[in-house]
């Protein structure tokens, strides 16, 4: 059953046409987010101060953002096929992906000190060093649309294959395993490492949350509203709870390791929640495509 969280604040950060998309907590204890339609990176302090950093191309399509090992933020530029970097003082640079038209999307820091990313349009996984050197690994499937990516408890990289209806795993040496999902046309998108040392992911096409163990065992948990279009997911390591956005329903949900689900209505059901992250103040921050960032303090029973 859906209900409102104990506390919610919606913070205006841009015009609705700018499209706040992904969000993460930076090394400076601020919230950093992408504005996919404006070609900007935003920084939001917990005291409400907002800084916006225009990139060198308004149409570059900054998508997913993550902290790097060098104290900067790294992000994918899905429209001009580059990997971007921005310092906490707002100085931006970028590096080209070798394969033309690759469409980089998901990105995460790995334990080898490099950033690993997905290439939606060319069925590849990429690796970039902080010096800008890129290595590409082709997947053994075509038309798979690799989307989100995260580091697993086994130090491998785990990623969703949205159109191949599967979860992938790649080791540092390029060895790849593909795990098909039980539900047809589930269309997985977001993925994160849970507090139980499994990988949790959302199925935007099936309205489900999934869990995959490192041995490949998969469980699926149907959501109350199967048409809610779950999009992104992040874990709270302190509680073991994973939080996810319901893009099509204007809600945020949480799932415990035992599969118990809670849902929380946002004030505007058409707010289009995308990325989310736990902030330095313990609250949950959600990027809303309507030009806002929502701050939630939810209390699970």
């Amino acid at each position: 059953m859906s209900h409102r969280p104990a506390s919610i604040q919606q913070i205006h950060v841009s015009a609705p046409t700018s499209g706040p998309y992904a969000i993460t907590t930076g090394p400076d204890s601020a919230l950093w987010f992408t504005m996919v339609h404006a070609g900007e990176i935003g920084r939001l302090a917990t005291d409400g101060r907002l800084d916006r950093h225009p990139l060198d191309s308004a149409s570059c399509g900054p998508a997913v953002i993550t902290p790097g090992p060098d104290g900067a933020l790294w992000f994918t530029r899905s429209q001009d096929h580059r990997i971007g970097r921005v310092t906490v003082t707002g100085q931006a640079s970028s590096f080209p992906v070798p394969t033309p038209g690759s469409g980089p999307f998901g990105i995460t820091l790995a334990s080898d000190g490099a950033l690993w990313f997905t290439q939606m349009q060319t069925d590849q996984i990429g690796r970039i060093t902080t010096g800008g050197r890129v290595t590409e690994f082709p997947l053994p499937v075509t038309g798979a649309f690799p989307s989100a990516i995260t580091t697993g408890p086994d130090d491998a990289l785990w990623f969703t294959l949205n159109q191949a209806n599967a979860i992938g795993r790649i080791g540092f040496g390029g060895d790849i395993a593909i795990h098909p999902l039980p539900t047809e046309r589930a269309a997985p998108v977001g993925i994160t490492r849970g507090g139980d040392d499994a990988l949790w992911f959302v199925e935007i096409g099936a309205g489900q949350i999934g869990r995959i163990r490192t041995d490949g065992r998969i469980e699926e948990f149907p959501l109350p509203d199967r048409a809610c279009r779950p999009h992104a997911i992040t874990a709270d390591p302190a509680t073991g709870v994973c939080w996810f956005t319901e893009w099509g329903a204007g809600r945020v949900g949480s799932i415990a390791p035992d599969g118990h689900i809670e849902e929380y209505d946002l004030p505007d059901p058409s707010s289009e929640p995308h990325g989310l992250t736990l902030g330095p103040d313990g609250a949950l921050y959600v990027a809303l495509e309507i030009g806002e960032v929502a701050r939630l303090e939810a209390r699970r029973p």
Side-chain angles (χ1 to χ4, degrees), residues 13 28 30-36 38-45 49-58 60 62 65 73 75 77 85-93:
V13 295
D28 57 347
L31 291 309
W32 289 78
F33 58 96
T34 57
M35 286 174 273
V36 65
E40 296 183 31
I41 302 296
R43 178 188 185 274
L44 178 66
R49 176 181 170 180
L50 175 67
D51 296 292
R52 294 174 57 169
H53 304 292
L55 302 174
D56 56 3
S57 168
C60 66
I65 187 166
L73 288 302
F75 55 95
R77 297 173 42 147
R85 176 185 184 271
V86 62
T87 68
V88 294
T89 57
Q91 297 172 308
S93 56

Side-chain angles (χ1 to χ4, degrees), residues 16 36 50-51 64 70 75 83 141 156 174 221-222 281 287 289 300:
V36 65
L50 175 67
D51 296 292
V64 178
D70 55 352
F75 55 95
I83 304 299
V141 287
F221 304 90
D281 55 356
E289 196 162 345
R300 286 181 56 96

Side-chain angles (χ1 to χ4, degrees), residues 105-129:
F105 181 72
I107 189 168
T108 192
L109 173 63
S111 62
D112 64 349
L115 290 304
W116 290 67
F117 59 95
T118 59
Q119 300 180 45
M120 293 186 299
Q121 304 298 338
T122 54
D123 294 311
Q124 296 182 106
I125 302 297
R127 176 186 185 272
I128 185 168
T129 67

Side-chain angles (χ1 to χ4, degrees), residues 73 96 135 179 194 207 209 223-224 233-234 241 258 279:
L73 288 302
T135 307
H179 302 280
I209 306 299
L223 294 171
I233 188 167
T234 193
V241 168
D258 64 0

